[in-house]
Amino acid sequence: GAGVSQSPRYKVAKRGQDVALRCDPISGHVSLFWYQQALGQGPEFLTYFQNEAQLDKSGLPSDRFFAERPEGSVSTLKIQRTQQEDSAVYLCASSTGLAGRTDTQYFGPGTRLTVL
Amino acid sequence: EDKVVQSPLSLVVHEGDTVTLNCSYEVTNFRSLLWYKQEKKAPTFLFMLTSSGIEKKSGRLSSILDKKELFSILNITATQTGDSAVYLCPIRGGSEKLVFGKGTKLTVNP
């Protein structure tokens, strides 16, 4: 596609529910990133994939957060037993994955998750 | 730990004004500093800076990096209401992830 797409754009969940957020990266992009952006803050890194391999998950805040990219393209971020503090915008970004300094990350529109 | 501090956090100007947004950072193994414009949700890429002293320019926007003093600035001349947004300047250090500050919220009033 022309850009990174994410769905749903908005999600309201009751505390304790499980949610799944989807990201479609730019076609051919090897690297895929998930970030969490709380209100009034900058995005914070959650996890990173190169193709289907999850190379860095150091930013996942708890074991309730799980991400996968089984075929190296579409990725899903799953949050189990949602809590109010999970309310945020979840941004997905992709890049070519070329080695070196100049690889640019392009962001999707995000999913705004509200946990009641 | 890599860190980005942006200033001011918020700025209100009138159309036609020139603004300078500041970004200072701490990083090990610096690779690049990027500027993004965030309206509503999706950060939109503006510039990538990797070398000191080389100005990047696009229309009314320009940016420069000082790797010795560890900062970057983003200049916007002849501001328009469409420039209203949050401006982010993440850095890329030794890992692939971007490290963000809180951003600068720019409001341009007509």
Side-chain angles (χ1 to χ4, degrees), chain B residues 21 91 105:
Chain B
L21 308 183
I91 54 170
K105 183 178 180 181

Side-chain angles (χ1 to χ4, degrees), chain A residues 23-108:
Chain A
C23 172
D24 283 86
I26 293 172
S27 179
H29 276 194
V30 167
S31 297
L32 185 146
F33 302 81
W34 284 97
Y35 294 86
Q36 180 190 58
Q37 186 172 24
L39 190 64
Q41 304 295 315
E44 291 195 4
F45 171 78
L46 294 176
T47 187
Y48 153 61
F49 291 85
Q50 188 173 79
N51 294 306
E52 68 278 5
Q54 189 175 20
L55 299 186
D56 186 350
K57 54 181 180 179
S58 62
L60 296 176
S62 77
D63 59 8
R64 297 186 295 104
F65 287 71
F66 172 76
E68 61 183 4
R69 194 186 184 198
E71 298 179 359
S73 178
V74 171
S75 176
T76 303
L77 176 67
K78 297 180 179 178
I79 309 173
Q80 297 177 323
R81 304 182 302 282
T82 52
Q83 304 294 316
Q84 284 190 321
E85 62 262 29
D86 300 334
S87 295
V89 174
Y90 290 85
L91 293 167
C92 176
S94 71
S95 68
T96 61
L98 294 173
R101 300 182 299 176
T102 59
D103 200 22
T104 301
Q105 292 183 25
Y106 296 94
F107 285 82

Side-chain angles (χ1 to χ4, degrees), chain A residues 9 35 37 42 100 104-105 108-109, chain B residues 36 38 41-42 92 96 98 101:
Chain A
R9 293 291 306 276
Y35 294 86
Q37 186 172 24
T104 301
Q105 292 183 25
Chain B
Y36 287 88
Q38 186 173 27
K41 288 183 193 171
R92 187 168 169 227
E96 299 303 313
L98 296 178

Side-chain angles (χ1 to χ4, degrees), chain B residues 13-59:
Chain B
V13 301
H14 289 104
E15 265 191 320
D17 288 352
T18 293
V19 298
T20 298
L21 308 183
N22 302 293
C23 176
S24 63
Y25 62 90
E26 299 172 14
V27 67
T28 48
N29 299 322
F30 174 90
R31 282 202 274 180
S32 58
L33 183 147
L34 298 90
W35 282 96
Y36 287 88
K37 176 183 182 183
Q38 186 173 27
E39 299 170 275
K40 297 181 181 179
K41 288 183 193 171
T44 305
F45 173 74
L46 296 174
F47 300 114
M48 176 182 287
L49 304 163
T50 57
S51 301
S52 283
I54 299 174
E55 185 184 52
K56 292 286 183 82
K57 193 170 173 65
S58 176

